[in-house]
Amino acid sequence: MTTQRRFSPFDLLKFNNVNLDPLTETYQMSFYLQYLAKWPQYCVHVHGPHGRSMGYILGKAEGVGEDWHGHVTAVTVPPEYRRLGVAVQLMDLLERVSEWDNGYFVDLFVRQS
């Protein structure tokens, strides 16, 4: 069973299984903390039954007028939890948060790996 909850600064100390994956873009601690301070509702962590991190999403709201939207900065799931629908669950949640925030759409830019 998985549990979704708001990202906490303490989660940053438990992400080795996620952030050590070569496909995951990692950031400095200050970057994560900036997102947690400005857009806490767009930052969600998913963990498994034993507290092991199953992934997270960092997002924000940006734009003006009809360009107001949610933006996915990072969505990542470690290899052992891929193909279980965790990323879909996280993306759906960020889309709902963006709709509550009157966003018109959600965007995500993907780098080629």
Side-chain angles (χ1 to χ4, degrees):
M1 185 169 108
T2 63
T3 303
Q4 291 179 356
R5 63 174 171 73
R6 263 199 191 163
F7 206 102
S8 158
F10 296 107
D11 292 330
L12 296 171
L13 307 173
K14 301 175 187 173
F15 279 163
N16 284 341
N17 70 312
V18 179
N19 282 348
L20 292 178
D21 177 46
L23 296 177
T24 297
E25 187 75 32
T26 57
Y27 306 97
Q28 293 185 12
M29 186 85 72
S30 61
F31 183 83
Y32 291 102
L33 293 174
Q34 177 185 3
Y35 269 68
L36 290 174
K38 287 186 174 181
W39 304 284
Q41 68 275 23
Y42 286 85
C43 303
V44 177
H45 173 231
V46 176
H47 60 91
H50 300 291
R52 187 161 168 86
S53 180
M54 295 178 69
Y56 64 85
I57 193 164
L58 291 177
K60 63 181 179 179
E62 62 184 12
V64 177
E66 290 189 12
D67 278 340
W68 183 253
H69 64 282
H71 171 74
V72 178
T73 302
V75 58
T76 187
V77 176
E80 64 268 26
Y81 297 112
R82 291 185 184 147
R83 300 198 176 271
L84 298 175
V86 175
V88 171
Q89 184 181 37
L90 289 167
M91 289 296 295
D92 287 345
L93 185 128
L94 195 127
E95 184 178 13
R96 284 194 311 272
V97 169
S98 182
E99 287 174 356
W100 293 331
D101 207 11
N102 296 316
Y104 288 91
F105 59 93
V106 172
D107 67 3
L108 165 68
F109 299 101
V110 181
R111 68 173 166 83
Q112 187 176 354
S113 56

